[in-house]
Amino acid sequence: MSAVEVEKSADGQVWTVCFHRPEARNAVNRPTAAALLEAFRNFEKDDTARVAVLYGRGGTFCAGADLKALSSGVGADGLSRNGNRVLKPDVNDPLEEGPMGPTRLRLKKPVLAAIEGHCVAGGLELAVWCDMRICDETAIFGVFCRRWGVPLIDGGTIRLPRLIGQSRAMDMILTGRAVDAKEALNFGLANRVVAKGTARAEAEAIARMIASFPEQACMQADRQSSLEQWGLPSIGHALVNEYELGREVLKRAALGAGRFRDGAGRGGNFKDHGERPSKL
């Protein structure tokens, strides 16, 4: 079995990207990183695909980069020839490769992480790259690479503070300590905590709900504005960007407003809005 497999819903709208290296607690080596990158590049290019779920099989989400590979083949410059590729980021390439594979991709579509067990070091960086993190009660987060002098070099020092705030992120980054599912939920690092063994099912249910919204371009524009605000110099610039992105889809908003006028979606009903979600 390949270390990375993609399972799709019947209509192709929801993709679940599964990776499994049980001999290494789902640590990501160079071939696995390349396979994850390819899977998410294909997801972005597929016109039918709407939402993806990233899932580590076997009760562990991801133990980070494969340190055994990283420690082998070290050249005179002190860099590993066998470890994950670490290249200088290209700000002009939204589909470039990251050390853990997809972690530098700037996708237009949302990705949800389904997390069971340890989600640490580079695995944490994979998780915070995702838009949401659905965890079961066994989930453990942490910058465990602190013990070995391996840095967060795949977006962790940027995305983690943005998600949970500078103070809490510094607690995790400086100490490397374990954060369980309950604390992660309190931090805002986890979006949902569910019963043991049900993270994937819950993440796929949420993905189907998101994929069912009839105006995907509207959701994608709001998502893009939320992500891009961090790189803009002021709230004024962010408001302009929100306006420009929203203007492109606003003309279709009258259709949704018309459905509400005619009685759909009353009382906060999310099932009565248009297209219906499929099942995997």
Side-chain angles (χ1 to χ4, degrees):
M1 185 175 72
S2 171
V4 176
E5 295 183 334
V6 177
E7 300 178 12
K8 303 178 185 178
S9 61
D11 58 10
Q13 292 182 356
V14 176
W15 290 28
T16 300
V17 179
C18 306
F19 61 107
H20 193 211
R21 297 189 68 227
E23 73 282 3
R25 295 177 63 82
N26 288 348
V28 173
N29 59 7
R30 187 178 289 194
T32 305
L36 287 170
L37 175 67
E38 180 182 16
F40 281 104
R41 281 176 171 171
N42 291 338
F43 164 71
E44 180 76 348
K45 291 186 294 185
D46 190 293
D47 291 335
T48 302
R50 293 185 171 188
V51 187
V53 173
L54 176 61
Y55 176 62
R57 295 187 189 272
T60 296
F61 180 72
C62 178
D66 189 331
L67 296 186
K68 291 182 179 179
L70 181 64
S71 64
S72 65
V74 177
D77 56 3
L79 298 177
S80 172
R81 300 295 182 264
N82 299 325
N84 298 18
R85 286 163 54 86
V86 182
L87 305 174
K88 183 177 179 179
D90 181 354
V91 297
N92 297 313
D93 184 1
L95 294 177
E96 71 170 319
E97 176 184 5
M100 294 292 289
T103 32
R104 291 181 183 170
L105 298 180
R106 301 190 290 278
L107 304 181
K108 295 179 180 178
K109 308 170 189 177
V111 179
L112 281 57
I115 300 169
E116 298 169 356
H118 282 75
C119 172
V120 298
L124 176 63
E125 293 185 294
L126 273 174
V128 298
W129 169 72
C130 297
D131 295 274
M132 294 177 64
R133 284 145 297 283
I134 315 304
C135 311
D136 81 358
E137 57 197 11
T138 69
I140 297 290
F141 300 87
V143 186
F144 283 15
C145 51
R146 181 61 59 236
R147 299 171 296 168
W148 316 121
V150 178
L152 294 174
I153 200 168
D154 210 6
T157 64
I158 302 158
R159 295 185 177 114
L160 188 61
R162 289 181 177 182
L163 285 174
I164 67 175
Q166 187 81 3
S167 179
R168 286 170 167 166
M170 279 298 182
D171 181 356
M172 294 182 67
I173 290 169
L174 297 180
T175 69
R177 71 179 180 88
V179 172
D180 65 17
K182 181 179 179 180
E183 187 175 16
L185 183 64
N186 290 336
F187 275 8
L189 179 55
N191 297 91
R192 309 274 198 284
V193 176
V194 296
K196 180 179 178 180
T198 64
R200 175 180 175 178
E202 180 67 13
E204 288 175 344
I206 295 171
R208 291 194 297 269
M209 184 269 290
I210 295 171
S212 75
F213 293 135
E215 296 298 336
Q216 290 289 297
C218 175
M219 178 270 293
Q220 291 169 4
D222 287 349
R223 173 183 177 273
Q224 184 177 347
S225 176
S226 295
L227 292 171
E228 290 181 348
Q229 65 159 317
W230 295 102
L232 298 174
S234 71
I235 189 172
H237 290 84
L239 288 169
V240 169
N241 189 52
E242 179 189 60
Y243 165 77
E244 294 291 348
L245 291 167
R247 185 177 63 172
E248 296 301 315
V249 297
L250 190 59
K251 62 189 72 174
R252 295 185 57 82
L255 297 176
R259 290 196 298 272
F260 178 78
R261 177 201 61 207
D262 295 337
R266 297 299 172 87
N269 186 346
F270 269 64
K271 295 181 180 180
D272 185 16
H273 55 73
E275 298 174 13
R276 291 293 183 263
S278 66
K279 292 185 177 181
L280 288 170

